[in-house]
Amino acid sequence: MRWHRLKAIVRKEVIQIRRDLRSLLLIVAMPLLLMLAFGYGVSFDIKHIPVFVYDREGSQQSQDLLKHFQASEYFNVVESVASYSALVQALDAGWCRVAIVIPSDFSEQLKTGGPVGVQALLDATDNNTANVSIGYSEAVIQTYNRKVQLEWLQRHGQSTRQPAVSVDARTWFNENLESTANIVPGVIAIVMAVIGSFLTSLTIAREWERGTMEQLMSTPVTPLEVMVGKLVPYFVIGLFDTALCAGIGIWWFHVPFRGQWSVFVFSSILFLMVVLSLGYFISVVTKSQLAASQTALIATFLPAFLLSGFIYPIDQMPAVIQLITRFIPARYFMTISRDVFLKGTPIALLRDELLALGLFAAVLTLLATRAFHKKLS
Amino acid sequence: MSNEVPSISVRDLVKRFGDFVAVDRISFEARPGEVIGFLGPNGAGKSTAIRMLCGLLRPTEGQALVAGIDVAREPEQVRQRIGYMSQKFSLYNDLRVIENIQFFAALYRIPASQLRERVSWVLEMAGLTGRESALTGTLPTGWKQRLALGCAVLHRPSILFLDEPTSGVDPVSRRQFWELIHQMAAEGVTVLVSTHYMDEAEYCHRLILMFHGRIVASGSPLELKQREMSGDVVLVECDDLGLALDLLQKNPSVKDAAVFGNALHLMVSEVAADLAPLRTYLSTGGVLVTKIEPISPTLEDVFVSLTANQGQSGKE
């Protein structure tokens, strides 16, 4: 590897990136867009679920129960209707997710101490929201039950006593249970995967398409010089975008950063090497910009999105899919990024992930250097 | 001259792509300062041969020595000594003129002491002095090609490979381009240039005619015209070219007939014996002949004649 040739390639590549509006837009706009879209748009927090009620009794007790629903931040009692069919209509039309029916003998039953059934109808098209709604409903009812029991005991002169067992839940790492805290460190991995492999996949393919590669190959430049020279600018861009995303996450979305910067930077460098080599390898093999960019997206963006644990937790996946995720480099970086941001995990506990990333980086870099021979075929 | 080391020495060079034989056992040599023209239709194997000589393609069989170095073994050694211009324009359109020159200068490591002089030489040669900061993509084709040539010879290579450098270039620019080639040849550079323009072939010191991957003839333009024609060429001008062509192709004394512009070129075994009977033959067929006379063959005649022979032998 000769320094003067390497420098020439880097310089040329930087000029070309600077003059290419599409690349510049992608470099600056894409991280911003993804951060904002995921930071604001994608929220897995389920709150203010719209509720319709059909209170068949209309007693003080039934209203008291409904107040419990209204008081909870998870529910928003939109309307009280006067018939069962109106309730069905509201569910059909999507005006509410949950419909609650209070029986006409609600207070009567309560007095006799028998169990009272309150019906909840749920729109389960979104099964996740429905599931969560059931849980929240049960919690609301539970609180109400306790209150009723307490009152009953007091009325009968019994000493009041707290329930035997209660859960004292402390949420660690993401104290307020905000999904942005979980998402933002993940978006960094997505941005790196796209910028790193998409942009680089175009660079070699473009030279093949425009015929400049043939000219380049007729000069004394070596394949390694071409590769390193072309990747250095994108490496710097990748680091810039990583910093940009981390900055937005920390200062705009107030995601805590509890770990060590050195661990984060080191793992970012490894992950960048992985995606850059992958993009380079793809572009050497496909030799066309269109095929290269599409392959790069499918090979990096999709797995980083679906199989890295970004949205779907890996330990909830079927065993076969879990096995597949082991071959997705983004999975390891996703774990590291989240752990370093939220948990402040020390480097020793991330050893396996870092080793996996290092292995991927080594194999893919080797693959990329091997793929590009200075021969036409 | 005989004890000079040849710039290019090719021995039984073969390139196969699967079952397809692109270059079929070609051999030739080139001396320093020689301008060699590779002639042949598209697909004759010219580009493939040139790419092997530049070390861009690995030969299937045979040997190619460029500047005395085996290209297949030490392509990197060869590359510092050669200049190459591919068929497709291959400088960076999104780089300025000066940036393209500086890029290739850096790749070839032109010493700083010579850099200024070489850069202004290329600019002057390409007629681009004062337009250094123009984006290369905005230049007319002829200027682009001269700039490409400039970048290919920045490092003063002793051997230059040009693969159809003038395709799509206007006649005036083509002329200027060839003047440059001859200037360099005069300085001792060996130039191997492929073309399918017959008028350009006349500018070459020596021609190598390729057809279906094989060398079918080689020699100076004059030698080829004298040696390779198996008869004499007759020019016919008449009122109805189509009818005349039909008639002549049926006449046994005419070996070959083809349209050349607004006239016909015939190949006959002997002008003296055939001219008068032919005129009568055409007249009785209903063609008004305005001119019939022997002419010296053009390279195109030679080429048509040679490829026609090859086509027939290929069928056998």
Short mmCIF file of all heavy atoms in Angstrom, two decimals, chain A residues 140-191:
data_model
loop_
_atom_site.label_atom_id
_atom_site.label_comp_id
_atom_site.label_asym_id
_atom_site.label_seq_id
_atom_site.Cartn_x
_atom_site.Cartn_y
_atom_site.Cartn_z
N VAL A 140 -57.20 -1.73 37.21
CA VAL A 140 -58.15 -0.71 37.68
C VAL A 140 -59.19 -1.36 38.58
O VAL A 140 -59.50 -0.88 39.68
CB VAL A 140 -58.82 0.00 36.49
CG1 VAL A 140 -59.98 0.89 36.96
CG2 VAL A 140 -57.80 0.83 35.73
N ILE A 141 -59.73 -2.50 38.11
CA ILE A 141 -60.76 -3.22 38.87
C ILE A 141 -60.19 -3.66 40.22
O ILE A 141 -60.85 -3.58 41.25
CB ILE A 141 -61.26 -4.45 38.08
CG1 ILE A 141 -61.87 -4.02 36.74
CG2 ILE A 141 -62.22 -5.29 38.91
CD1 ILE A 141 -63.29 -3.56 36.78
N GLN A 142 -58.94 -4.11 40.21
CA GLN A 142 -58.28 -4.57 41.42
C GLN A 142 -58.27 -3.46 42.49
O GLN A 142 -58.59 -3.67 43.64
CB GLN A 142 -56.83 -4.96 41.09
CG GLN A 142 -56.23 -5.93 42.07
CD GLN A 142 -56.69 -7.36 41.74
OE1 GLN A 142 -56.20 -7.93 40.83
NE2 GLN A 142 -57.63 -7.91 42.47
N THR A 143 -57.86 -2.30 42.02
CA THR A 143 -57.81 -1.15 42.94
C THR A 143 -59.20 -0.88 43.52
O THR A 143 -59.37 -0.65 44.72
CB THR A 143 -57.34 0.11 42.19
OG1 THR A 143 -56.36 -0.28 41.28
CG2 THR A 143 -56.81 1.14 43.15
N TYR A 144 -60.18 -0.96 42.63
CA TYR A 144 -61.55 -0.71 43.05
C TYR A 144 -61.99 -1.76 44.08
O TYR A 144 -62.58 -1.45 45.11
CB TYR A 144 -62.47 -0.70 41.84
CG TYR A 144 -63.92 -0.41 42.19
CD1 TYR A 144 -64.32 0.90 42.54
CD2 TYR A 144 -64.88 -1.40 42.23
CE1 TYR A 144 -65.62 1.19 42.87
CE2 TYR A 144 -66.19 -1.14 42.56
CZ TYR A 144 -66.56 0.17 42.87
OH TYR A 144 -67.85 0.45 43.21
N ASN A 145 -61.68 -3.02 43.79
CA ASN A 145 -62.00 -4.12 44.70
C ASN A 145 -61.46 -3.88 46.10
O ASN A 145 -62.15 -4.05 47.09
CB ASN A 145 -61.39 -5.43 44.20
CG ASN A 145 -62.32 -6.12 43.22
OD1 ASN A 145 -63.50 -5.77 43.15
ND2 ASN A 145 -61.80 -7.07 42.48
N ARG A 146 -60.20 -3.49 46.11
CA ARG A 146 -59.55 -3.29 47.39
C ARG A 146 -60.30 -2.22 48.19
O ARG A 146 -60.52 -2.33 49.38
CB ARG A 146 -58.10 -2.89 47.20
CG ARG A 146 -57.21 -3.56 48.25
CD ARG A 146 -55.76 -3.25 48.02
NE ARG A 146 -55.31 -3.61 46.68
CZ ARG A 146 -54.32 -2.98 46.06
NH1 ARG A 146 -53.73 -1.95 46.65
NH2 ARG A 146 -53.95 -3.36 44.88
N LYS A 147 -60.68 -1.19 47.48
CA LYS A 147 -61.39 -0.09 48.12
C LYS A 147 -62.72 -0.59 48.70
O LYS A 147 -63.08 -0.30 49.85
CB LYS A 147 -61.63 1.00 47.08
CG LYS A 147 -62.18 2.28 47.69
CD LYS A 147 -62.54 3.28 46.61
CE LYS A 147 -63.56 4.26 47.15
NZ LYS A 147 -64.44 4.73 46.09
N VAL A 148 -63.44 -1.39 47.89
CA VAL A 148 -64.74 -1.90 48.33
C VAL A 148 -64.57 -2.78 49.58
O VAL A 148 -65.30 -2.66 50.56
CB VAL A 148 -65.42 -2.70 47.20
CG1 VAL A 148 -66.65 -3.44 47.73
CG2 VAL A 148 -65.81 -1.77 46.07
N GLN A 149 -63.54 -3.65 49.52
CA GLN A 149 -63.30 -4.55 50.64
C GLN A 149 -62.98 -3.79 51.91
O GLN A 149 -63.48 -4.07 53.00
CB GLN A 149 -62.15 -5.51 50.31
CG GLN A 149 -62.61 -6.74 49.58
CD GLN A 149 -61.43 -7.52 48.99
OE1 GLN A 149 -60.29 -7.08 49.10
NE2 GLN A 149 -61.73 -8.66 48.41
N LEU A 150 -62.14 -2.78 51.72
CA LEU A 150 -61.73 -1.96 52.84
C LEU A 150 -62.94 -1.33 53.52
O LEU A 150 -63.10 -1.37 54.74
CB LEU A 150 -60.79 -0.86 52.33
CG LEU A 150 -59.59 -0.55 53.20
CD1 LEU A 150 -58.72 -1.78 53.34
CD2 LEU A 150 -58.80 0.59 52.57
N GLU A 151 -63.81 -0.78 52.67
CA GLU A 151 -65.02 -0.14 53.20
C GLU A 151 -65.90 -1.14 53.96
O GLU A 151 -66.45 -0.88 55.01
CB GLU A 151 -65.82 0.49 52.05
CG GLU A 151 -65.21 1.80 51.57
CD GLU A 151 -65.83 2.28 50.27
OE1 GLU A 151 -66.76 1.61 49.75
OE2 GLU A 151 -65.37 3.32 49.76
N TRP A 152 -66.01 -2.34 53.38
CA TRP A 152 -66.84 -3.39 53.98
C TRP A 152 -66.30 -3.77 55.37
O TRP A 152 -67.02 -3.84 56.34
CB TRP A 152 -66.86 -4.61 53.06
CG TRP A 152 -67.88 -5.64 53.45
CD1 TRP A 152 -69.16 -5.70 53.09
CD2 TRP A 152 -67.63 -6.77 54.32
NE1 TRP A 152 -69.80 -6.77 53.63
CE2 TRP A 152 -68.87 -7.46 54.40
CE3 TRP A 152 -66.50 -7.26 55.03
CZ2 TRP A 152 -69.03 -8.63 55.17
CZ3 TRP A 152 -66.67 -8.42 55.77
CH2 TRP A 152 -67.92 -9.08 55.84
N LEU A 153 -64.98 -3.93 55.40
CA LEU A 153 -64.34 -4.31 56.65
C LEU A 153 -64.54 -3.23 57.72
O LEU A 153 -64.86 -3.51 58.86
CB LEU A 153 -62.84 -4.55 56.44
CG LEU A 153 -62.48 -5.84 55.69
CD1 LEU A 153 -61.00 -5.83 55.31
CD2 LEU A 153 -62.80 -7.06 56.54
N GLN A 154 -64.35 -1.98 57.28
CA GLN A 154 -64.50 -0.88 58.24
C GLN A 154 -65.92 -0.83 58.78
O GLN A 154 -66.15 -0.64 59.98
CB GLN A 154 -64.14 0.44 57.57
CG GLN A 154 -62.62 0.64 57.49
CD GLN A 154 -62.26 1.84 56.65
OE1 GLN A 154 -63.06 2.29 55.83
NE2 GLN A 154 -61.05 2.32 56.84
N ARG A 155 -66.89 -1.03 57.84
CA ARG A 155 -68.31 -0.99 58.27
C ARG A 155 -68.59 -2.07 59.30
O ARG A 155 -69.37 -1.92 60.20
CB ARG A 155 -69.20 -1.18 57.05
CG ARG A 155 -69.76 0.17 56.53
CD ARG A 155 -71.03 -0.04 55.78
NE ARG A 155 -70.92 -1.05 54.75
CZ ARG A 155 -70.39 -0.84 53.55
NH1 ARG A 155 -69.91 0.34 53.25
NH2 ARG A 155 -70.34 -1.80 52.68
N HIS A 156 -67.96 -3.21 59.17
CA HIS A 156 -68.21 -4.32 60.09
C HIS A 156 -67.25 -4.32 61.27
O HIS A 156 -67.08 -5.32 61.95
CB HIS A 156 -68.13 -5.65 59.34
CG HIS A 156 -69.28 -5.82 58.40
ND1 HIS A 156 -69.37 -5.14 57.20
CD2 HIS A 156 -70.41 -6.54 58.51
CE1 HIS A 156 -70.48 -5.46 56.60
NE2 HIS A 156 -71.16 -6.31 57.39
N GLY A 157 -66.61 -3.20 61.50
CA GLY A 157 -65.78 -3.02 62.69
C GLY A 157 -64.53 -3.86 62.72
O GLY A 157 -63.94 -4.06 63.77
N GLN A 158 -64.15 -4.38 61.60
CA GLN A 158 -62.92 -5.19 61.60
C GLN A 158 -61.70 -4.29 61.41
O GLN A 158 -61.77 -3.25 60.79
CB GLN A 158 -62.98 -6.19 60.42
CG GLN A 158 -64.22 -7.01 60.38
CD GLN A 158 -63.93 -8.48 60.64
OE1 GLN A 158 -62.78 -8.86 60.71
NE2 GLN A 158 -64.99 -9.26 60.81
N SER A 159 -60.62 -4.76 62.00
CA SER A 159 -59.40 -3.98 61.82
C SER A 159 -58.96 -4.04 60.35
O SER A 159 -59.02 -5.12 59.74
CB SER A 159 -58.27 -4.54 62.70
OG SER A 159 -57.98 -5.86 62.29
N THR A 160 -58.57 -2.91 59.84
CA THR A 160 -58.15 -2.91 58.43
C THR A 160 -56.72 -3.39 58.33
O THR A 160 -55.89 -3.15 59.18
CB THR A 160 -58.24 -1.50 57.83
OG1 THR A 160 -57.44 -0.64 58.61
CG2 THR A 160 -59.67 -1.01 57.81
N ARG A 161 -56.50 -4.06 57.25
CA ARG A 161 -55.19 -4.64 57.10
C ARG A 161 -54.81 -4.60 55.62
O ARG A 161 -55.66 -4.82 54.75
CB ARG A 161 -55.28 -6.08 57.62
CG ARG A 161 -53.99 -6.81 57.60
CD ARG A 161 -54.17 -8.19 58.20
NE ARG A 161 -53.05 -8.97 57.75
CZ ARG A 161 -53.15 -9.96 56.88
NH1 ARG A 161 -54.32 -10.33 56.43
NH2 ARG A 161 -52.08 -10.59 56.48
N GLN A 162 -53.58 -4.29 55.36
CA GLN A 162 -53.12 -4.25 53.96
C GLN A 162 -53.12 -5.67 53.39
O GLN A 162 -53.05 -6.63 54.15
CB GLN A 162 -51.70 -3.67 53.90
CG GLN A 162 -51.62 -2.17 54.17
CD GLN A 162 -52.39 -1.34 53.16
OE1 GLN A 162 -52.31 -1.59 51.96
NE2 GLN A 162 -53.17 -0.38 53.63
N PRO A 163 -53.23 -5.80 52.10
CA PRO A 163 -53.16 -7.14 51.50
C PRO A 163 -51.83 -7.80 51.88
O PRO A 163 -50.83 -7.11 52.11
CB PRO A 163 -53.20 -6.86 49.99
CG PRO A 163 -53.72 -5.47 49.86
CD PRO A 163 -53.44 -4.75 51.14
N ALA A 164 -51.86 -9.13 51.93
CA ALA A 164 -50.69 -9.88 52.40
C ALA A 164 -49.45 -9.62 51.54
O ALA A 164 -48.36 -9.38 52.06
CB ALA A 164 -51.00 -11.36 52.43
N VAL A 165 -49.63 -9.70 50.27
CA VAL A 165 -48.47 -9.55 49.37
C VAL A 165 -48.76 -8.45 48.38
O VAL A 165 -49.86 -8.38 47.82
CB VAL A 165 -48.20 -10.85 48.60
CG1 VAL A 165 -46.98 -10.66 47.68
CG2 VAL A 165 -47.99 -12.01 49.53
N SER A 166 -47.82 -7.57 48.20
CA SER A 166 -47.98 -6.59 47.12
C SER A 166 -46.66 -6.49 46.37
O SER A 166 -45.60 -6.75 46.92
CB SER A 166 -48.37 -5.23 47.68
OG SER A 166 -47.27 -4.68 48.37
N VAL A 167 -46.77 -6.13 45.12
CA VAL A 167 -45.56 -5.99 44.30
C VAL A 167 -45.00 -4.60 44.48
O VAL A 167 -45.73 -3.61 44.36
CB VAL A 167 -45.87 -6.25 42.82
CG1 VAL A 167 -44.61 -6.02 41.98
CG2 VAL A 167 -46.40 -7.65 42.63
N ASP A 168 -43.75 -4.52 44.79
CA ASP A 168 -43.10 -3.23 44.89
C ASP A 168 -42.17 -3.11 43.69
O ASP A 168 -41.03 -3.55 43.72
CB ASP A 168 -42.32 -3.18 46.20
CG ASP A 168 -41.67 -1.83 46.41
OD1 ASP A 168 -41.96 -0.91 45.61
OD2 ASP A 168 -40.89 -1.70 47.36
N ALA A 169 -42.69 -2.59 42.59
CA ALA A 169 -41.94 -2.61 41.33
C ALA A 169 -41.06 -1.38 41.20
O ALA A 169 -41.51 -0.25 41.39
CB ALA A 169 -42.91 -2.69 40.16
N ARG A 170 -39.79 -1.63 40.91
CA ARG A 170 -38.87 -0.52 40.59
C ARG A 170 -38.38 -0.74 39.18
O ARG A 170 -37.79 -1.78 38.89
CB ARG A 170 -37.66 -0.55 41.53
CG ARG A 170 -37.98 -0.36 42.97
CD ARG A 170 -37.93 1.13 43.34
NE ARG A 170 -38.57 1.34 44.63
CZ ARG A 170 -37.94 1.12 45.79
NH1 ARG A 170 -36.70 0.72 45.79
NH2 ARG A 170 -38.57 1.32 46.92
N THR A 171 -38.60 0.20 38.29
CA THR A 171 -38.13 0.02 36.91
C THR A 171 -36.73 0.59 36.80
O THR A 171 -36.52 1.79 36.98
CB THR A 171 -39.07 0.72 35.93
OG1 THR A 171 -39.30 2.05 36.38
CG2 THR A 171 -40.39 -0.01 35.85
N TRP A 172 -35.80 -0.28 36.53
CA TRP A 172 -34.42 0.14 36.40
C TRP A 172 -34.10 0.52 34.96
O TRP A 172 -34.75 0.07 34.03
CB TRP A 172 -33.49 -1.02 36.82
CG TRP A 172 -33.32 -1.11 38.31
CD1 TRP A 172 -34.12 -0.57 39.25
CD2 TRP A 172 -32.28 -1.81 38.97
NE1 TRP A 172 -33.66 -0.88 40.48
CE2 TRP A 172 -32.51 -1.65 40.36
CE3 TRP A 172 -31.16 -2.55 38.56
CZ2 TRP A 172 -31.68 -2.21 41.32
CZ3 TRP A 172 -30.34 -3.10 39.51
CH2 TRP A 172 -30.60 -2.93 40.90
N PHE A 173 -33.04 1.25 34.80
CA PHE A 173 -32.46 1.61 33.50
C PHE A 173 -33.31 2.57 32.69
O PHE A 173 -32.82 3.44 32.00
CB PHE A 173 -32.13 0.37 32.65
CG PHE A 173 -31.36 -0.66 33.43
CD1 PHE A 173 -31.78 -1.98 33.50
CD2 PHE A 173 -30.22 -0.30 34.13
CE1 PHE A 173 -31.08 -2.92 34.21
CE2 PHE A 173 -29.50 -1.24 34.86
CZ PHE A 173 -29.94 -2.56 34.90
N ASN A 174 -34.63 2.35 32.69
CA ASN A 174 -35.52 3.26 31.98
C ASN A 174 -36.66 3.53 32.96
O ASN A 174 -37.73 2.96 32.87
CB ASN A 174 -36.00 2.56 30.71
CG ASN A 174 -36.94 3.44 29.91
OD1 ASN A 174 -37.17 4.59 30.24
ND2 ASN A 174 -37.47 2.88 28.84
N GLU A 175 -36.37 4.41 33.91
CA GLU A 175 -37.22 4.56 35.10
C GLU A 175 -38.65 4.94 34.78
O GLU A 175 -39.58 4.52 35.47
CB GLU A 175 -36.61 5.60 36.05
CG GLU A 175 -35.32 5.17 36.73
CD GLU A 175 -34.11 5.19 35.80
OE1 GLU A 175 -34.25 5.69 34.66
OE2 GLU A 175 -33.03 4.70 36.19
N ASN A 176 -38.81 5.76 33.73
CA ASN A 176 -40.16 6.20 33.43
C ASN A 176 -40.84 5.33 32.38
O ASN A 176 -41.87 5.70 31.84
CB ASN A 176 -40.14 7.65 32.98
CG ASN A 176 -39.53 8.53 34.05
OD1 ASN A 176 -39.72 8.29 35.24
ND2 ASN A 176 -38.76 9.52 33.63
N LEU A 177 -40.24 4.19 32.08
CA LEU A 177 -40.79 3.27 31.09
C LEU A 177 -41.12 3.97 29.78
O LEU A 177 -42.20 3.83 29.23
CB LEU A 177 -42.04 2.59 31.64
CG LEU A 177 -41.79 1.58 32.76
CD1 LEU A 177 -43.12 1.09 33.32
CD2 LEU A 177 -40.99 0.40 32.24
N GLU A 178 -40.18 4.78 29.29
CA GLU A 178 -40.43 5.49 28.04
C GLU A 178 -39.82 4.71 26.88
O GLU A 178 -38.66 4.31 26.95
CB GLU A 178 -39.81 6.88 28.10
CG GLU A 178 -40.72 7.87 28.79
CD GLU A 178 -39.96 9.08 29.28
OE1 GLU A 178 -38.73 9.07 29.19
OE2 GLU A 178 -40.63 10.00 29.75
N SER A 179 -40.59 4.52 25.83
CA SER A 179 -40.02 3.72 24.74
C SER A 179 -38.96 4.47 23.97
O SER A 179 -38.11 3.85 23.34
CB SER A 179 -41.10 3.18 23.82
OG SER A 179 -41.91 4.21 23.35
N THR A 180 -38.94 5.82 23.98
CA THR A 180 -37.86 6.52 23.27
C THR A 180 -36.50 6.12 23.81
O THR A 180 -35.54 5.99 23.06
CB THR A 180 -37.98 8.07 23.41
OG1 THR A 180 -38.30 8.36 24.76
CG2 THR A 180 -38.99 8.64 22.47
N ALA A 181 -36.43 5.88 25.10
CA ALA A 181 -35.15 5.49 25.70
C ALA A 181 -34.67 4.18 25.11
O ALA A 181 -33.47 3.95 24.95
CB ALA A 181 -35.30 5.37 27.21
N ASN A 182 -35.61 3.33 24.75
CA ASN A 182 -35.26 2.04 24.18
C ASN A 182 -34.98 2.18 22.68
O ASN A 182 -34.08 1.54 22.13
CB ASN A 182 -36.44 1.08 24.41
CG ASN A 182 -36.13 -0.31 23.95
OD1 ASN A 182 -35.01 -0.77 24.04
ND2 ASN A 182 -37.13 -0.96 23.40
N ILE A 183 -35.74 3.06 22.04
CA ILE A 183 -35.68 3.16 20.58
C ILE A 183 -34.45 3.93 20.10
O ILE A 183 -33.74 3.51 19.19
CB ILE A 183 -36.96 3.83 20.05
CG1 ILE A 183 -38.09 2.82 20.09
CG2 ILE A 183 -36.77 4.33 18.62
CD1 ILE A 183 -39.43 3.41 19.79
N VAL A 184 -34.17 5.06 20.75
CA VAL A 184 -33.10 5.93 20.24
C VAL A 184 -31.74 5.22 20.10
O VAL A 184 -31.13 5.30 19.03
CB VAL A 184 -33.01 7.22 21.08
CG1 VAL A 184 -31.72 7.96 20.81
CG2 VAL A 184 -34.20 8.11 20.76
N PRO A 185 -31.28 4.49 21.10
CA PRO A 185 -30.00 3.79 20.89
C PRO A 185 -30.10 2.78 19.75
O PRO A 185 -29.11 2.49 19.07
CB PRO A 185 -29.76 3.06 22.22
CG PRO A 185 -30.62 3.78 23.20
CD PRO A 185 -31.81 4.28 22.45
N GLY A 186 -31.30 2.26 19.50
CA GLY A 186 -31.50 1.32 18.40
C GLY A 186 -31.45 2.01 17.05
O GLY A 186 -30.89 1.47 16.09
N VAL A 187 -32.02 3.22 16.99
CA VAL A 187 -32.02 3.94 15.71
C VAL A 187 -30.58 4.20 15.24
O VAL A 187 -30.29 4.15 14.05
CB VAL A 187 -32.79 5.28 15.83
CG1 VAL A 187 -32.71 6.05 14.53
CG2 VAL A 187 -34.22 5.03 16.20
N ILE A 188 -29.69 4.42 16.19
CA ILE A 188 -28.28 4.65 15.82
C ILE A 188 -27.76 3.46 15.01
O ILE A 188 -27.10 3.64 13.99
CB ILE A 188 -27.43 4.86 17.09
CG1 ILE A 188 -27.90 6.13 17.80
CG2 ILE A 188 -25.95 4.95 16.74
CD1 ILE A 188 -27.20 6.42 19.10
N ALA A 189 -28.12 2.27 15.45
CA ALA A 189 -27.67 1.08 14.72
C ALA A 189 -28.28 1.04 13.32
O ALA A 189 -27.59 0.70 12.35
CB ALA A 189 -28.06 -0.18 15.48
N ILE A 190 -29.54 1.41 13.21
CA ILE A 190 -30.20 1.41 11.91
C ILE A 190 -29.54 2.42 10.97
O ILE A 190 -29.21 2.10 9.83
CB ILE A 190 -31.70 1.78 12.06
CG1 ILE A 190 -32.40 0.83 13.04
CG2 ILE A 190 -32.39 1.84 10.71
CD1 ILE A 190 -32.90 -0.41 12.44
N VAL A 191 -29.31 3.62 11.48
CA VAL A 191 -28.70 4.67 10.66
C VAL A 191 -27.32 4.23 10.18
O VAL A 191 -26.97 4.37 9.01
CB VAL A 191 -28.59 5.99 11.46
CG1 VAL A 191 -27.70 6.99 10.74
CG2 VAL A 191 -29.96 6.58 11.67
#
